[in-house]
Amino acid sequence: MNIHKHPPLETWQSLCERPMMSFSQIEPGVRAILDAVNKQGDEALKSFSLQFDGFAPDDFLVSEKELAEAEKQVRDELKSAIRLAEKNIRRFHIAQREPVKKITTTNGVTCWRKSVPIEKVGLYIPGGTAPLFSTLLMLGVPAFVAGCNEIIVCTPPRKDGTIAPEILYTASQLGLKKIYSVGGAQAIAAMAYGSESIPAVYKIFGPGNQYVTMAKMLVQQQGVAIDMPAGPSEVLVIADSISYPAFVAADLLSQAEHGADSQVVLVSDDETITEKILSEIQRQLNVLPRKELAAAALKNSKAVLLKNMDDAIAFSNIYAPEHLILATAQPELLAEKVVNAGSVFLGHFSCESAGDYASGTNHTLPTNGYARNYSGVSLDSFMKKITFQELTATGIRNIGPAIEHMAAAEQLEAHKNAVTLRLDYLQSQKNDSEKVKNTTVAARENIIRAKPYSSARDEFSGENKIFLDANENPFDTGYNRYPDPHQAALKKQIAALKHVSSENIFLGNGSDEAIDLLIRAYCEPANDSILICPPTYGMYEVAAAIHDIQVVKIPLNEKFQLDLKNVLDTIEQQDVKIIFLCSPNNPTGNLLNKAEIESLLQKFNGLVVIDEAYIDFSPDGSLLGELKRYEQVVILQTFSKAWGLAGIRLGMAFGHALIISTLDKIKPPYNINQITQQIAFERLKNINKKENYVRLLNEQKKIVIEELGILPVVKKIYPSDANFLLVKFDEPKKIYKSLLENNIVVRDRNSVAEGCLRITIGTEDENEKLLSVLKNISPINS
């Protein structure tokens, strides 16, 4: 290594220059490869494979037999290591998910941004003498976590025409099926343009030699995205007087052994420790299998002695290393000053190898100074961000005039006119788009005439009163008084959270009480009917039977959506008073189409009850806003699911004030007990706890879906916006029995969806136990 002692500041920039990478000599040849593959497809791929790899397969796609054979060749210790790394990488990348945050920029103007996975991605995995199966973990795991629809892998064969078994085993472990035996610039061309065998993708990831890098840079100019312009690997280590020379030397050599064009840099403020590290490098170098490559890299490498740690971190920020190791006494303080680096390793035990393999962070990082303006691969690398906005009539009134003035100033009259037409329309209407739809919905006559039970407590609430009206025990036990019959304070807190009025809220003993009371209040026994769309929540039918109400059933279609035409035809022919819709649906987990629900609301004058027990797990949000437009809609929600309070049995119904007052009239007195109210108050003060539950459960659901998807016993996993999954199995009875034998209870839903079990998402440990049992069930030996 070249040693530079106290170089002047003006020379730092030149010291930070890497060995020059010149693509000018190889660019014409790489362009020729790209053009040939673009025009000739598989024919060109086979020609180049034979030329560069000495082997041209009949079929580029790796067969299932090859995958199975590869698994036998990988040592059990390595399999365990790969699984550990995968788990940590998955956890780290799942934590990078961003919830959708809707922002009201002006009253009536809502904007938000949503992360959407890139549909088709290609992963290039170097093979040959150094099969980088760890890179497949670093790229494949976040691609799955992101939800990319199509993931293809290209990796070059070895000299005997086979692919390294470690790469194939890792691919199998991740559930990757489209693995192609092709490497070099021709593989990049295949993923960019597509061929008869290999599909084209929208973004290409992965490192490679100079030809692969050149190919990626060229296809990027033609509209195919790439992860980054990656170059040779590099590390910069900052060491002080207490550093461990052997540790630092090993870290420097771990990057030097990548290849002759790699570069390592040692920066220190202590000459003695620098000399010890350089001596240790020579000692360790002599026993390395890749000694020649590492020695060549060291010729391009440097040791820089500076005055202090402030200068050391300033030098590092100019260099902008791919990997930065802070092997110092106080690495946390230095870390705060890092502004340019791909990945930072703090302390004596944070070796760069940990990030390369199993700590969880991604090792696909910017090199050659690109850390100044590029990030390493992350979950966001596999996503695109789409912005959304929604303006109500109020919103366009609020910002419309400003838009008109700005458009006119830029002389874009059509832009202005798009606003002016809408403002003129609204001005001409007596009621804006949020006017309430008139309905004929009414409660039963006897309910309208009935007088509710009341006590003095209904009228005389408040503090500093002596209550001798309700025959309670006067001795204060904390629970000796009846609770507030109106639950006024609790309703007020919920109203603020849900952006509705307290008069629009009914609180019940679970949502089931609201279901029961709605049927009791609005349906005449032995005369009226309700309509349900099975498969759906069973309590609608149970409550109807209790009150002698007919149940009309219009099943959901094959996509578990409303058969809207059939529903509309039926309500015209029969005296249906209430329609119950479960969305997200139980037991299927999917949301019902919002536009179809709105169409139903526009054409039906009875009550439409939308049961949103699982809505907090859905990214698409509630229909609670429809209360402002339709006075016949009732929204059911609960504290049981996302809030984690099933034990207190607290449900909510949101609706028009007339509907809510009707339910309050016939509910039992003091139906929400004091303990339930207290627990609900405490949880409402900590809404972050609920949001954390939702995040954790949705993360676990994603993991369970991914793991189930690669099991041979699983035939189909239905889409779910809830905290459960409807899963179709081969031999579901056998699966159900095996789970019970292992003390795991799921719900048999074969009666509503053939071959299906409903699986609630549990804790990480519970889910792992479930998946472990399912993995041990063989459909072949049943």
Side-chain angles (χ1 to χ4, degrees):
M1 294 178 69
N2 300 309
I3 303 175
H4 302 269
K5 296 183 179 180
H6 306 293
L9 180 61
E10 59 269 20
T11 67
W12 288 11
Q13 191 66 53
S14 61
L15 283 176
C16 290
E17 292 178 358
R18 276 65 164 182
M20 289 298 294
M21 290 176 56
S22 177
F23 290 113
S24 59
Q25 292 182 341
I26 67 170
E27 181 178 344
V30 173
R31 283 191 183 276
I33 292 172
L34 297 180
D35 291 342
V37 174
N38 190 16
K39 295 174 182 176
Q40 301 169 27
D42 281 357
E43 181 183 346
L45 287 177
K46 289 182 178 181
S47 175
F48 290 127
S49 293
L50 192 61
Q51 178 183 348
F52 299 123
D53 299 322
F55 176 79
D58 294 329
D59 187 352
F60 290 107
L61 181 65
V62 173
S63 67
E64 292 187 7
K65 181 180 179 182
E66 289 175 279
L67 291 172
E69 286 296 321
E71 182 171 358
K72 299 175 184 177
Q73 300 177 48
V74 179
R75 293 176 292 107
D76 289 342
E77 297 86 352
L78 181 55
K79 290 179 181 177
S80 296
I82 290 172
R83 289 194 293 269
L84 171 67
E86 179 197 357
K87 183 177 181 180
N88 289 345
I89 295 165
R90 189 183 302 275
R91 281 180 171 173
F92 184 73
H93 288 81
I94 283 175
Q96 297 170 25
R97 289 173 175 158
E98 294 181 1
V100 175
K101 296 180 180 179
K102 292 191 175 183
I103 305 299
T104 300
T105 56
T106 298
N107 187 22
V109 181
T110 304
C111 302
W112 64 98
R113 189 174 76 161
K114 183 178 180 181
S115 297
V116 178
I118 298 171
E119 291 178 275
K120 302 178 180 181
V121 297
L123 315 182
Y124 184 83
I125 309 301
T129 59
L132 299 186
F133 61 90
S134 60
T135 297
L136 186 52
L137 287 171
M138 296 295 173
L139 300 177
V141 170
F144 268 112
V145 172
C148 298
N149 187 52
E150 185 171 17
I151 305 169
I152 74 166
V153 177
C154 285
T155 186
R158 297 180 294 186
K159 290 183 179 180
D160 63 358
T162 64
I163 293 176
E166 297 86 355
I167 289 178
L168 295 184
Y169 171 75
T170 302
S172 296
Q173 187 67 19
L174 294 177
L176 294 166
K177 303 295 185 184
K178 296 182 178 180
I179 306 137
Y180 298 93
S181 179
V182 60
Q186 61 269 27
I188 303 302
M191 290 189 283
Y193 310 127
S195 73
E196 294 88 342
S197 299
I198 302 174
V201 299
Y202 301 149
K203 188 171 184 179
I204 298 172
F205 295 80
N209 60 24
Q210 58 185 342
Y211 297 96
V212 169
T213 302
M214 183 75 252
K216 286 172 64 179
M217 294 170 68
L218 290 174
V219 298
Q220 184 182 33
Q221 297 172 13
Q222 299 171 27
V224 180
I226 65 171
D227 47 1
M228 66 188 76
S233 189
E234 60 193 32
V235 66
L236 186 148
V237 181
I238 297 180
D240 62 12
S241 60
I242 69 162
S243 297
Y244 292 82
F247 292 0
V248 174
D251 288 332
L252 292 166
L253 287 171
S254 72
Q255 292 305 293
E257 73 173 351
H258 272 291
D261 54 357
S262 293
Q263 186 179 63
V264 300
V265 179
L266 170 64
V267 179
S268 180
D269 62 353
D270 188 284
E271 187 169 358
T272 300
I273 203 71
T274 300
E275 291 173 353
K276 290 181 178 179
I277 292 168
L278 294 178
S279 176
E280 183 65 27
I281 286 174
Q282 289 303 315
R283 189 189 69 79
Q284 294 184 26
L285 177 64
N286 290 327
V287 297
L288 288 180
R290 297 167 69 94
K291 175 182 176 180
E292 289 76 13
L293 289 175
L298 290 174
K299 292 179 181 179
N300 298 322
S301 301
K302 300 164 186 175
V304 182
L305 189 64
L306 297 171
K307 293 179 181 179
N308 51 50
M309 284 292 110
D310 285 339
D311 282 358
I313 202 69
F315 183 91
S316 175
N317 282 328
I318 294 174
Y319 186 82
E322 177 190 17
H323 306 100
L324 170 61
I325 300 177
L326 304 176
T328 61
Q330 295 180 304
E332 297 85 359
L333 296 180
L334 285 183
E336 291 297 320
K337 301 176 182 179
V338 175
V339 294
N340 296 324
S343 190
V344 184
F345 301 78
L346 280 67
H348 303 300
F349 297 100
S350 303
C351 57
E352 187 277 331
S353 303
D356 269 353
Y357 292 108
S359 65
T361 61
N362 206 292
H363 78 202
T364 311
L365 301 166
T367 63
N368 204 35
Y370 281 108
R372 300 184 191 99
N373 43 35
Y374 273 83
S375 303
V377 165
S378 66
L379 187 65
D380 278 351
S381 305
F382 294 86
M383 312 286 280
K384 52 185 183 286
K385 310 287 187 178
I386 302 176
T387 59
F388 297 80
Q389 54 195 281
E390 182 177 16
L391 278 69
T392 64
T394 300
I396 195 65
R397 285 195 188 100
N398 283 337
I399 68 172
I403 299 170
E404 288 179 307
H405 289 305
M406 295 171 75
E410 291 188 346
Q411 301 179 32
L412 297 174
E413 195 62 29
H415 281 65
K416 177 185 176 184
N417 195 44
V419 175
T420 303
L421 287 172
R422 287 170 168 84
L423 294 177
D424 290 347
Y425 169 79
L426 292 173
Q427 185 64 34
S428 70
Q429 302 298 307
K430 292 183 180 179
N431 300 304
D432 64 20
S433 63
E434 293 183 347
K435 70 178 180 179
V436 173
K437 176 182 181 295
N438 293 320
T439 70
T440 58
V441 64
R444 293 162 52 198
E445 284 296 324
N446 62 310
I447 299 295
I448 295 172
R449 294 192 303 268
K451 292 183 178 181
Y453 174 87
S454 65
S455 69
R457 199 66 52 83
D458 288 321
E459 184 176 356
F460 303 105
S461 60
E463 299 178 354
N464 302 320
K465 290 184 173 64
I466 298 174
F467 287 114
L468 302 176
D469 63 304
N471 305 332
E472 299 147 316
N473 186 324
F475 301 106
D476 188 6
T477 65
Y479 303 106
N480 61 308
R481 297 292 182 185
Y482 287 115
D484 171 16
H486 303 298
Q487 307 111 22
L490 183 55
K491 284 185 178 181
K492 183 177 180 181
Q493 199 159 342
I494 294 172
L497 176 67
K498 300 291 185 178
H499 306 293
V500 298
S501 170
S502 293
E503 67 177 6
N504 299 124
I505 303 172
F506 171 83
L507 299 179
N509 186 6
S511 299
D512 299 333
E513 184 173 24
I515 293 168
D516 178 84
L517 293 178
L518 284 165
I519 292 176
R520 187 189 304 182
Y522 288 90
C523 295
E524 193 74 37
N527 184 44
D528 292 335
S529 60
I530 67 167
L531 186 145
I532 65 174
C533 298
T536 191
Y537 181 43
M539 280 305 298
Y540 312 143
E541 195 168 357
V542 171
I546 291 171
H547 296 292
D548 196 17
I549 304 300
Q550 180 184 355
V551 178
V552 179
K553 300 179 183 180
I554 305 296
L556 299 174
N557 62 27
E558 65 277 5
K559 294 183 179 179
F560 294 138
Q561 291 294 331
L562 292 178
D563 183 352
L564 186 60
K565 182 179 184 304
N566 204 352
V567 170
L568 293 174
D569 290 343
T570 300
I571 59 179
E572 284 184 1
Q573 299 167 10
Q574 301 196 40
D575 191 12
V576 173
K577 286 295 182 69
I578 307 177
I579 297 174
F580 285 93
L581 303 176
C582 194
S583 181
N585 188 37
N586 181 7
T588 65
N590 65 293
L591 280 173
L592 298 183
N593 184 282
K594 182 179 178 181
E596 291 184 343
I597 293 176
E598 286 196 30
S599 179
L600 184 59
L601 286 167
Q602 292 165 5
K603 297 175 182 178
F604 178 59
N605 287 329
L607 290 182
V608 177
V609 181
I610 304 170
D611 191 340
E612 294 185 344
Y614 301 92
I615 197 63
D616 294 290
F617 300 101
S618 170
D620 292 323
S622 170
L623 288 167
L624 201 54
E626 300 305 313
L627 293 181
K628 298 176 181 178
R629 299 179 61 197
Y630 304 100
E631 67 182 23
Q632 88 273 32
V633 70
V634 177
I635 306 291
L636 302 181
Q637 293 184 3
T638 178
F639 278 75
S640 296
K641 313 301 180 185
W643 293 89
L645 295 175
I648 69 171
R649 300 292 295 135
L650 181 59
M652 299 168 282
F654 302 90
H656 189 275
L658 182 61
I659 297 173
I660 299 304
S661 64
T662 300
L663 299 184
D664 282 333
K665 178 190 286 191
I666 63 173
K667 73 175 178 65
Y670 315 114
N671 67 324
I672 305 298
N673 69 69
Q674 187 175 336
I675 297 173
T676 291
Q677 292 192 46
Q678 288 173 346
I679 294 173
F681 270 125
E682 290 304 313
R683 188 56 56 86
L684 283 166
K685 292 176 184 176
N686 187 9
I687 191 171
N688 289 335
K689 192 167 189 176
K690 187 265 281 188
E691 298 297 336
N692 190 47
Y693 284 154
V694 171
R695 179 182 61 80
L696 290 173
L697 286 170
N698 277 336
E699 289 174 357
Q700 281 297 306
K701 181 172 70 172
K702 183 76 171 179
I703 292 171
V704 172
I705 290 172
E706 291 170 358
E707 296 292 336
L708 288 175
I710 63 175
L711 296 181
V713 295
V714 174
K715 295 180 68 175
K716 184 172 184 178
I717 304 169
Y718 290 93
S720 173
D721 280 80
N723 66 330
F724 61 83
L725 298 171
L726 188 68
V727 184
K728 189 170 186 177
F729 289 91
D730 272 323
E731 301 184 85
K733 291 182 179 179
K734 175 189 171 183
I735 301 294
Y736 186 75
K737 180 181 178 183
S738 296
L739 291 173
L740 284 178
E741 289 172 350
N742 285 274
N743 297 317
I744 298 174
V745 182
V746 298
R747 190 76 183 272
D748 183 352
R749 303 307 288 163
N750 185 67
S751 60
V752 295
E754 184 180 359
C756 287
L757 303 178
R758 192 190 69 189
I759 300 173
T760 303
I761 303 301
T763 64
E764 182 178 1
D765 288 340
E766 290 170 338
N767 297 334
E768 287 182 352
K769 178 68 183 298
L770 168 83
L771 292 168
S772 176
V773 173
L774 291 174
K775 287 176 182 178
N776 289 327
I777 300 172
S778 170
I780 298 173
N781 300 323
S782 59

